[in-house]
Amino acid sequence: MPTLAQQHILLGISGGIAAYKAAELTRLLIKAGAEVRVCMTEGATHFVTPLTFQALSGHPVHTTLLDPEAEAGMGHIELARWADQIVIAPASANCIARLTHGFADDLLTTLCLASKAPLAIAPAMNQQMWANAATQANIATLQSRKVKLLGPASGEQACGDIGFGRMLEPEQIVQLLQADSAPLQLTGVKVILTAGPTREAIDPVRFISNRSSGKMGYALAEAAQALGAEVTLISGPVALTPPQGVQHLKVESAQQMLEATLAHMPGQDIFIATAAVADYTPAEVAEQKIKKSASELSLELKRTQDILATVTSQFPALFSVGFAAETHDLMTYARSKLERKQLQMVAANSVAGGKVFDQDTNALEVVWRDGQHSFPEMTKQALAVELMQLIAKRYQHYKDTPDAP
Ligand code: CTP
């Protein structure tokens, strides 16, 4: 069982009604074996008194930056160095904005700037404030800096609204922190990915292709390798450099991608199909350049073979992950793809209005047979790291419980 034993957790509490839940969180963290020091913003002290946290943690609570008495005890730089991790719960919209912009005008933001420890935040705010583009942009920035996002949950709020913005329950926060402290590795696991677009030749100089940049697939290959996996990347034509140490195969057409994928599939453990494979290819490829003549030209196209479905039918024991790009009814289509192609997971993104392709950020809804997870918009690199960790967790579960969904 993963543990928080002996971890030094600096618990930051910002101003919001959910501050009262931080008392239970302090108790549960200590029960899980952590050593907890508490830092409250001025706003937080209007909701709960520092004395509550002093009694629960057994240590004086830190509230102000320029407090000679506190600095004489454990000064703020010392406290920043002491922390193995910083957890801010609740993290208000204001606190999130200030962290994003690197403020250091109160103790909590100063500690965050002065510490090398990983930072996790549990947002708590009104649903409209959470949905606001400013907050979402701040969250994306923080996540791109590897700040861990814990929640928020959806439900009824203190103000009477219903929606996303509720702080996770203290038990859930502790569970997530415990899960994170578990060493999650893919050492010895073989991961194969397809990435990028395919090119379907019309004649020696022309082809049909799509806007896929391959960024997500390449970032996932890198993230899998960082977890210790042995990675094979089968890529259509893209303008990217493959990560060092990854076995990289270049292909052009859907047929070539199918053949290369099948040839490298024996012995693989995880297959991640991020490629935007052409669904149709010219029925015939002209041997010579087609010269213009008539005012209209029709091209006859035929269906390509579905690489992912072919792989899952030939290698049913493989842990297979598909991607879905949809303009509407994201979850419904993602779930039907899961069944139809016999996959363990589907990662779906919205391409309404042509977004996603060739962009540096993305958001994903991930579904599996008995669960789902939403990743808010963040850089494709940050998203790949988070998604790969989720894939590793689900893969572990799949190996541990072969009969489970
Ligand atoms: N895929 C594949 N081979 C194909 C087509 C798709 O491996 N010939 C994979 C993609 O890499 C992706 C998933 O299948 O992981 C996408 O499924 P698909 O049903 O093709 O998605 P859409 O193109 O969105 O489907 P539709 O045409 O139904 O909108």
Side-chain angles (χ1 to χ4, degrees):
M1 177 68 188
T3 174
L4 295 175
Q6 276 133 42
Q7 273 221 25
H8 290 176
I9 297 184
L10 176 61
L11 177 61
I13 304 170
S14 67
I17 182 62
Y20 80 92
K21 289 191 188 174
E24 178 66 356
L25 178 59
T26 307
R27 200 184 67 76
L28 291 177
L29 287 171
I30 292 170
K31 199 172 155 208
E35 229 189 282
V36 180
R37 299 287 169 101
V38 177
C39 170
M40 299 175 79
T41 64
E42 213 239 305
T45 62
H46 293 289
F47 290 93
V48 200
T49 74
L51 198 57
T52 306
F53 293 100
Q54 178 168 329
L56 286 167
S57 70
H59 294 281
V61 170
H62 303 259
T63 52
T64 50
L65 186 54
L66 306 170
D67 177 354
E69 210 175 297
E71 289 294 301
M74 192 189 259
H76 70 272
I77 295 294
E78 217 179 318
L79 193 55
R81 285 195 192 126
W82 171 87
D84 292 322
Q85 63 171 315
I86 304 178
V87 180
I88 304 183
S92 65
N94 179 47
C95 172
I96 288 168
R98 289 148 47 75
L99 288 171
T100 307
H101 295 284
F103 278 34
D105 58 352
D106 71 357
L107 182 59
L108 183 55
T109 48
T110 304
L111 286 171
C112 290
L113 275 190
S115 180
K116 277 194 197 159
L119 172 63
I121 57 170
M125 67 195 74
N126 162 270
Q127 52 89 18
Q128 201 58 53
M129 292 170 77
W130 171 252
N132 191 291
T135 305
Q136 287 304 308
N138 290 340
I139 289 289
T141 304
L142 289 178
Q143 286 191 300
S144 71
R145 292 183 201 147
K146 306 255 186 302
V147 172
K148 176 95 194 150
L149 187 63
L150 310 169
S154 172
E156 199 174 330
Q157 304 197 303
C159 54
D161 279 9
I162 294 177
F164 277 96
R166 262 170 67 117
M167 188 171 95
L168 290 186
E169 293 305 321
E171 293 81 9
Q172 292 173 299
I173 294 178
V174 173
Q175 269 173 14
L176 288 172
L177 295 175
Q178 282 176 322
D180 258 14
S181 68
L184 222 176
Q185 287 297 326
L186 287 174
T187 314
V189 176
K190 291 190 166 184
V191 177
I192 182 166
L193 304 99
T194 60
T198 61
R199 275 183 188 171
E200 307 305 318
I202 298 170
D203 68 15
V205 295
R206 303 183 178 94
F207 56 78
I208 303 172
S209 192
N210 59 63
R211 290 179 191 277
S212 169
S213 64
K215 282 179 188 161
M216 195 63 208
Y218 276 58
L220 273 169
E222 194 171 0
Q225 203 198 23
L227 290 181
E230 220 176 284
V231 182
T232 304
L233 176 61
I234 297 177
S235 173
V238 295
L240 299 170
T241 311
Q244 283 274 327
V246 160
Q247 188 185 7
H248 183 241
L249 289 109
K250 288 200 223 172
V251 296
E252 289 236 341
S253 66
Q255 183 60 29
Q256 287 172 359
M257 190 175 271
L258 173 73
E259 285 166 13
T261 308
L262 289 177
H264 288 83
M265 201 50 70
Q268 299 288 344
D269 300 299
I270 300 177
F271 175 38
I272 308 174
T274 69
V277 187
D279 291 323
Y280 291 91
T281 190
E284 275 172 35
V285 184
E287 275 179 23
Q288 290 173 351
K289 187 183 162 202
I290 301 171
K291 302 298 281 180
K292 57 182 163 300
S293 52
S295 60
E296 283 176 20
L297 172 73
S298 297
L299 271 181
E300 197 186 331
L301 303 176
K302 62 175 189 205
R303 278 287 292 268
T304 56
Q305 198 171 330
D306 190 312
I307 301 173
L308 185 51
T310 308
V311 166
T312 58
S313 68
Q314 290 189 17
F315 299 86
L318 202 64
F319 185 92
S320 303
V321 183
F323 269 70
E326 308 289 354
T327 51
H328 57 285
D329 294 335
L330 214 67
M331 294 305 246
T332 316
Y333 283 123
R335 289 224 168 264
S336 81
K337 206 157 285 180
L338 198 68
E339 292 300 323
R340 195 158 36 87
K341 298 198 186 188
Q342 292 295 300
L343 306 174
Q344 272 64 50
M345 288 171 91
V346 170
N349 52 37
S350 167
V351 288
K355 63 176 194 177
V356 172
F357 292 116
D358 211 20
Q359 301 216 342
D360 291 327
T361 63
N362 195 7
L364 284 178
E365 300 287 339
V366 183
V367 297
W368 55 96
R369 195 89 57 87
D370 60 352
Q372 63 187 68
H373 186 85
S374 302
F375 292 107
E377 183 154 0
M378 59 183 111
T379 64
K380 286 183 178 172
Q381 267 76 18
L383 193 55
V385 170
E386 301 246 341
L387 177 58
M388 207 54 230
Q389 278 170 359
L390 180 60
I391 292 172
K393 258 183 219 167
R394 297 303 313 161
Y395 171 70
Q396 204 53 56
H397 177 80
Y398 177 76
K399 297 298 283 178
D400 292 346
T401 50
D403 300 330

